[in-house]
Amino acid sequence: MHNNLIYITDGRGKIDAVQLSDIEWAQLVSDNRDSTRRQLVKCAWCWEEDRVTHWMKTYSRHDGARVVSHQPGESADHPYQALESDEHKAYCDRVERVGVAEGFLAQREACADDGRTRSDVLLVGSQHVSYEMQHSPFKQGYGATERTRRSLAAKRDAVAWHTDSAIIAGGARVAMLRSNQARLPQIENPRYELRILGGYRKVLVWECTSREGHRCPRKRYAGCGATHVDSQPGAITLDDFIRQAPAGLVLPIRPLERNGFWSSIRDYEIWVDHYGVASRPGGRGAPQRQSERRADGHSRRTAAEDHAPAVPQQRTDAFQVVTDVPDKLINLQRSAMGEHAKLASLDGAPFHAQWKAWRTAAENFHSAVTEHAARDDVTMSRYEVEQAAKSAARRSEQES
């Protein structure tokens, strides 16, 4: 059903027309027979996005299918979207909370400039990453592939799909992260660790020799002597992924394919160097993932190096010491840290008021970092500037 999210002006407010019983739907169709004059049902999409009222026609087709449509010529139909569950909102809250704590700009339900797509949560750092939480089956005609293409066309750098359902992850036609299933209190608990079980992989490199180990992709028992590149599941938490993606530390490989995945920036570079530009975001045509079965007498993975991220995880203090950090950035970060510390003893309305103050301070710091990193005389990347300022602010706080 298109346009299923509607406002009913008789006091029922925003509802999902799909959830109406047959009796309720029949009564609504009867009451809304002259929709423009009756002014009973209006489009929730148009109202929430643009504050424009479109009175909707409601009727049933001959096959019994329900239809909610705009008046002719007023607006195009919108795709199906179910009402958000509490778990969906909690995941979005977590993405926003973790992103803001790292200094990224966060926007909920961010509409793209072209007006054709919106993000559950958009985090803006050195990369524009659209986070999409999917915890119900995709609707036909509005799946992940089409939505990803629209987001990339709207100048999003990447779309990070996430689910906690193995069925949804297995049926998705795009690169999708899957975490362990969690209950609502666990999702809301910032100390509860949500681990990524699928969709994040480590790239392997090995020389195809006659030693024991990996099966030769060319099916040669004694090995073909070539260098092969493959991948295997990697380990990362959802919070660390949220911290790293807007900074460009994790990147998607073949995001528009079922076998696409995310990897560290170093693994991404190895993969692209081996397979070429077809595996870049939006590209197609890279080889399918090889089998990870072992076979006696076949080549052994000889890459001794464990491909760790080129830069430590953002939540650590192990970033390189940089002395030329402006005092302005240090003071702005200390201000954000101070506002965050005030949250500990608050609850209810005071907590929400203080949370807004902390978010404003974090946004001020984030904007200043972006402005400083864009200067011609600054050789560090935006991420390096941000981490250096945070490290200096923590040292300054400890010394005082």
Side-chain angles (χ1 to χ4, degrees):
M1 169 186 281
H2 291 283
N3 305 312
N4 60 298
L5 295 185
I6 58 176
Y7 279 104
I8 302 183
T9 59
D10 61 2
R12 280 179 279 183
K14 182 179 177 180
I15 66 169
D16 187 342
V18 175
Q19 304 300 325
L20 293 175
S21 66
D22 292 340
I23 296 177
E24 291 173 328
W25 172 255
Q27 186 63 48
L28 182 65
V29 170
S30 176
D31 294 341
N32 194 45
R33 190 171 301 278
D34 187 351
S35 56
T36 304
R37 179 175 298 179
R38 181 69 175 85
Q39 296 187 352
L40 177 64
V41 179
K42 69 179 180 180
C43 178
W45 289 72
C46 293
W47 177 249
E48 291 186 342
E49 292 181 9
D50 305 316
R51 285 296 185 260
V52 173
T53 296
H54 285 302
W55 300 110
M56 310 295 285
K57 294 189 295 184
T58 52
Y59 59 93
S60 297
R61 295 198 183 106
H62 61 84
D63 58 357
R66 300 177 183 181
V67 177
V68 181
S69 68
H70 289 85
Q71 303 301 315
E74 285 188 339
S75 180
D77 281 350
H78 302 296
Y80 179 97
Q81 177 173 318
L83 293 172
E84 291 184 352
S85 65
D86 291 338
E87 287 77 11
H88 183 279
K89 294 178 181 177
Y91 275 115
C92 291
D93 290 342
R94 185 158 187 152
V95 172
E96 182 179 19
R97 181 177 66 248
V98 174
V100 170
E102 285 299 310
F104 301 126
L105 175 64
Q107 302 177 33
R108 296 285 288 269
E109 295 297 322
C111 186
D113 293 339
D114 60 5
R116 300 183 63 205
T117 184
R118 62 172 53 235
S119 308
D120 285 340
V121 184
L122 178 67
L123 291 186
V124 180
S126 59
Q127 300 279 326
H128 288 60
V129 181
S130 173
Y131 289 84
E132 300 289 349
M133 307 295 134
Q134 190 69 30
H135 301 97
S136 59
F138 290 103
K139 300 302 176 182
Q140 187 174 5
Y142 195 60
T145 303
E146 177 61 24
R147 291 164 64 181
T148 301
R149 286 200 181 101
R150 288 185 179 183
S151 292
L152 295 176
K155 299 182 179 180
R156 311 291 201 227
D157 292 303
V159 181
W161 287 95
H162 168 261
T163 186
D164 57 7
S165 168
I167 296 176
I168 294 176
R173 298 184 179 274
V174 298
M176 175 169 283
L177 299 165
R178 178 175 67 87
S179 67
N180 55 300
Q181 288 191 336
R183 297 186 299 274
L184 182 61
Q186 295 170 326
I187 302 171
E188 294 174 335
N189 182 0
R191 295 182 179 85
Y192 183 80
E193 191 175 77
L194 291 164
R195 301 201 63 82
I196 298 299
L197 306 179
Y200 181 85
R201 300 180 69 84
K202 171 185 172 183
V203 172
L204 301 171
V205 184
W206 75 93
E207 300 295 331
C208 194
T209 66
S210 59
R211 300 170 185 173
E212 76 286 354
H214 199 76
R215 184 183 297 272
C216 176
R218 298 176 183 175
K219 300 181 180 180
R220 295 186 181 179
Y221 184 81
C224 64
T227 298
H228 296 302
V229 174
D230 200 357
S231 65
Q232 70 178 16
I236 194 173
T237 66
L238 178 61
D239 288 358
D240 281 341
F241 179 88
I242 295 169
R243 295 184 182 101
Q244 294 182 38
L249 297 181
V250 291
L251 294 170
I253 295 175
R254 293 179 291 156
L256 290 174
E257 296 185 23
R258 184 185 300 275
N259 287 326
F261 58 94
W262 289 77
S263 69
S264 70
I265 186 171
R266 187 173 184 179
D267 284 0
Y268 171 84
E269 291 171 351
I270 293 173
W271 188 278
V272 171
D273 286 344
H274 186 80
Y275 289 118
V277 296
S279 58
R280 293 182 185 275
R284 301 184 65 83
Q288 295 295 315
R289 204 176 291 149
Q290 300 292 343
S291 171
E292 295 179 10
R293 294 177 298 171
R294 298 178 62 87
D296 294 338
H298 288 219
S299 59
R300 177 170 57 89
R301 298 187 185 108
T302 58
E305 185 178 20
D306 184 7
H307 300 299
V311 183
Q313 294 178 351
Q314 294 187 22
R315 64 177 181 179
T316 68
D317 296 331
F319 194 79
Q320 59 183 346
V321 177
V322 180
T323 58
D324 57 346
V325 179
D327 291 338
K328 175 184 177 181
L329 297 183
I330 298 175
N331 293 334
L332 285 173
Q333 174 59 10
R334 289 194 63 178
S335 175
M337 292 166 59
E339 296 295 341
H340 181 267
K342 296 176 184 178
L343 291 170
S345 59
L346 300 178
D347 195 7
F351 175 87
H352 293 293
Q354 182 58 36
W355 187 89
K356 291 181 179 179
W358 166 46
R359 176 172 178 174
T360 299
E363 290 176 350
N364 291 338
F365 168 73
H366 177 84
S367 299
V369 167
T370 303
E371 180 180 355
H372 178 77
R375 289 170 43 184
D376 294 335
D377 59 338
V378 176
T379 59
M380 295 186 296
S381 68
R382 185 202 175 283
Y383 171 74
E384 291 172 335
V385 172
E386 178 183 335
Q387 293 305 303
K390 288 183 176 181
S391 179
R394 285 191 289 267
R395 289 197 303 271
S396 176
E397 188 74 17
Q398 293 170 359
E399 291 172 359
S400 62

